[in-house]
Amino acid sequence: MDFKFPFYLFILADTFLTILCDDKEDGKREGVLLCKKCGHEVGQTSDILNVLGTHVQRRAVKKFSDKSLALLQYFTNPHHQQFGLITMKNPSLYVHKQVIMDDSWFQNHAWSMCTCPHCTTHLGWWYQPVGEDLEASFYGVVLDKIIEESQADAVVRLPPAFQQS
């Protein structure tokens, strides 16, 4: 008995395997930035602004998987902690009410601490111009505290929010 495998079933099986194996079809969106600890969506690479800071230790360019570029600036706070920041508009962060005028890394800007609204991890700062329109405000987000959604599989340890009880 000569068995003939219908050609349309081969095409259907091949298409199904392509969808399963194709990295672009895994539901992950390029350019989406997540809190590294819990996976909360912080923003997108399209929200990046490149605002020059003062008292910068060093500058670099960060290239994201969607080919967008961000100015990465390294700053040191008065407690000698170093932070690598990218600047963004309107990320999904909780802005703390305390506004501090001293020790700002951006000239003529006051700052407030920002945390992840889901897990409360410190993710950066909100900068607002002193005595000016708040439309010129922006956020400094710590690059080491976020991850691209398309790169999230590279995390060795799952964040607690993704672990099953």
Side-chain angles (χ1 to χ4, degrees):
M1 178 176 190
D2 192 18
F3 180 75
K4 293 185 180 179
F5 190 76
F7 185 71
Y8 68 88
L9 286 179
F10 174 76
I11 298 296
L12 183 63
D14 183 56
T15 303
F16 180 72
L17 288 174
T18 300
I19 290 171
L20 284 178
C21 298
D22 190 358
D23 290 337
K24 299 293 181 193
E25 298 292 333
D26 63 0
K28 292 186 173 58
R29 301 162 292 164
E30 284 191 348
V32 175
L33 304 173
L34 308 174
C35 170
K36 198 180 270 188
K37 184 173 182 184
C38 73
H40 170 76
E41 186 174 327
V42 172
Q44 298 186 9
T45 54
S46 60
D47 297 327
I48 291 173
L49 303 170
N50 290 313
V51 180
L52 291 175
T54 55
H55 312 294
V56 177
Q57 302 295 314
R58 121 180 112 94
R59 289 188 176 104
V61 175
K62 165 67 178 163
K63 185 175 183 179
F64 291 94
S65 63
D66 66 350
K67 308 272 190 274
S68 61
L69 302 175
L71 176 63
L72 175 59
Q73 301 176 89
Y74 291 89
F75 301 95
T76 303
N77 70 11
H79 303 286
H80 306 290
Q81 296 170 307
Q82 190 176 66
F83 297 94
L85 294 186
I86 59 172
T87 49
M88 299 179 69
K89 60 181 177 184
N90 302 318
S92 176
L93 299 176
Y94 173 76
V95 178
H96 292 252
K97 292 179 182 169
Q98 183 179 14
V99 178
I100 300 174
M101 307 288 279
D102 299 327
D103 302 317
S104 180
W105 294 325
F106 295 90
Q107 188 172 359
N108 299 321
H109 283 76
W111 56 273
S112 297
M113 192 170 92
C114 292
T115 54
C116 174
H118 186 261
C119 70
T120 70
T121 297
H122 172 245
L123 295 181
W125 298 269
W126 179 55
Y127 292 93
Q128 58 182 329
V130 177
E132 293 182 25
D133 184 15
L134 291 182
E135 293 292 322
S137 64
F138 61 92
Y139 294 77
V141 179
V142 181
L143 186 63
D144 289 344
K145 303 280 182 111
I146 60 173
I147 189 167
E148 290 184 77
E149 184 177 73
S150 62
Q151 304 295 314
D153 287 340
V155 176
V156 176
R157 181 182 66 87
L158 280 176
F162 295 113
Q163 295 176 1
Q164 293 184 2
S165 305

